[in-house]
Amino acid sequence: MLFAMYLPTKVFQASPLLSDEDLEGLASVFAGGGVAAIPTETVYGLAADVFHEGALREVFRVKGRPADNPLIAHVGTLAHLEGLVESPSGLFIRLAERFWPGALTLVAPRSCRVPDLVSGGLATVAVRMPSHPCALQILQRSGPLAAPSANLSGRPSPTAAAHVLDDFAGAIPLIVDGGAANFGIESTVISTVGERAVLLRPGAIAREKIEAFLGMRLEDPKKGGAPLSPGMKYRHYAPKAKVLLVESRQELEALQKEGVYVPPSIGTENLYAELREADRLQKQAIAIHVDAEMLSNEALMNRLEKATS
Ligand code: AMP
Ligand code: MG
């Protein structure tokens, strides 16, 4: 389909919210099996109607995402859980009541209505209610949407509409520009299956915050078993430039003199933007100074390790 490659990708500005007309337009795109990139508070998502098989296939195709890597279903109200989650457990409800809308994804037994593409063939489904006002507006109008990060598989996640355009200009019809994603890192993923809280992926909400609320430690996924969060086994979040982690300032300066890209400072809000910046500048490598504060940030270190591996 040659013409599809030359589609100009439309960008809707949300300032800060979408107009009724744009919301209506988006709802009909999703209802018709189309895909669109939408802002969330974590990273931008490539969204499709969670029950539309054709649209889901398009998400996997556009991203180049392996079929066994399941998607997160995004909901705009608790009523949207109907048809997604099979009788939410007490633990699920407690966590949802405390952290939604927000950057916490909960894994639970899935309803039989959930397409296999969403759950990657697992008996569970991952769900979250984002807090970004524009994402909520869209979800409340369009219904639940499956939305993985809006980047080519393996590349750093997009934290601005411009990053989505870098990866998908001409490949998707629509991007909703809701400004910079303020967390800049993906949601924390917790399994609630069997009333046990297991940390599947560290993310925007710190483990300590969830543990303090629950009054207990989060469990680690079983070592050696099948990865409970299939996405964690893939190379991820990596720019084309080689990522070097350095501990000493001297080493950093030496690398900079050799032409390696050295960002001014790194936190979760700008990590992906700086990885992309290294590629934009066509640098062979990016060197990141890792200090004690960064070392204590589990989610940030998890993404840095994946970007270097
Ligand atoms: P992304 O949307 O690209 O940030 O990726 C979603 C993450 O959630 C991936 O790491 C998936 O493996 C994980 N995930 C989605 N659904 C499930 C599920 N049912 N069980 C475990 N992990 C899941
Ligand atoms: Mg992703």
Side-chain angles (χ1 to χ4, degrees):
M1 289 213 305
L2 247 181
F3 68 90
M5 286 163 50
Y6 295 101
L7 266 180
T9 297
K10 244 191 271 171
V11 181
F12 285 179
Q13 295 294 334
S15 54
L17 292 177
L18 283 168
S19 67
D20 226 47
E21 199 187 330
D22 285 348
L23 281 176
E24 233 5 85
L26 268 170
S28 51
V29 166
F30 290 128
V35 303
I38 63 167
T40 83
E41 72 278 23
T42 57
V43 303
Y44 275 69
L46 182 61
D49 183 321
V50 79
F51 298 116
H52 197 297
E53 302 262 358
L56 296 167
R57 274 198 299 275
E58 181 65 0
V59 166
F60 280 87
R61 189 190 68 78
V62 167
K63 276 184 62 78
R65 186 174 175 103
D68 69 345
N69 191 0
L71 308 178
I72 295 173
H74 291 69
V75 299
T77 79
L78 291 179
H80 286 165
L81 291 176
E82 179 91 50
L84 289 174
V85 175
E86 192 59 45
S87 40
S89 67
L91 177 64
F92 181 102
I93 291 164
R94 274 174 73 207
L95 286 167
E97 280 181 344
R98 166 64 183 84
F99 291 102
W100 285 2
L104 182 68
T105 295
L106 298 171
V107 170
R110 69 161 169 162
S111 145
C112 59
R113 283 187 58 207
V114 175
D116 276 343
L117 277 170
V118 172
S119 56
L122 300 171
T124 52
V125 64
V127 200
R128 117 174 156 93
M129 186 189 293
S131 66
H132 194 294
C134 185
L136 278 176
Q137 237 192 334
I138 295 168
L139 290 162
Q140 283 162 8
R141 181 72 68 100
S142 299
L145 301 172
S149 49
N151 53 280
L152 288 168
S153 216
R155 301 261 299 137
S157 298
T159 54
H163 301 161
V164 182
L165 261 183
D166 282 346
D167 284 11
F168 293 144
I172 61 172
L174 208 68
I175 299 173
V176 178
D177 185 348
N182 52 15
F183 282 115
I185 200 160
E186 295 80 359
S187 60
T188 304
V189 181
I190 289 191
S191 169
T192 62
V193 174
E195 290 282 320
R196 294 169 69 170
V198 181
L199 180 63
L200 299 182
R201 176 178 74 181
I205 298 187
R207 164 203 289 277
E208 294 74 22
K209 200 161 170 185
I210 302 164
E211 291 181 338
F213 169 71
L214 291 175
M216 63 181 190
R217 299 256 322 153
L218 291 172
E219 294 179 37
D220 292 322
K222 269 195 234 88
K223 290 262 149 58
L228 290 173
S229 184
M232 298 306 281
K233 69 178 185 239
Y234 296 106
R235 179 180 151 90
H236 253 95
Y237 320 114
K240 290 174 196 129
K242 195 171 165 55
V243 182
L244 308 168
L245 304 184
V246 299
E247 281 172 42
S248 88
R249 288 265 171 215
Q250 277 151 310
E251 203 184 331
L252 196 71
E253 279 161 28
L255 286 167
Q256 193 162 26
K257 280 191 192 122
E258 288 168 26
V260 166
Y261 177 58
V262 175
S265 70
I266 286 286
T268 54
E269 335 70 58
N270 70 347
L271 170 66
Y272 294 137
E274 290 293 1
L275 295 180
R276 282 176 178 268
E277 181 65 4
D279 285 349
R280 199 188 62 78
L281 297 169
Q282 299 189 309
K283 295 284 187 174
Q284 297 284 318
I286 168 173
I288 295 173
H289 183 243
V290 179
D291 60 20
E293 193 188 326
M294 284 168 72
L295 278 172
S296 68
N297 185 330
E298 186 179 12
L300 181 62
M301 291 313 296
N302 171 272
R303 302 308 189 269
L304 279 175
E305 277 156 24
K306 291 203 177 277
T308 51
S309 68

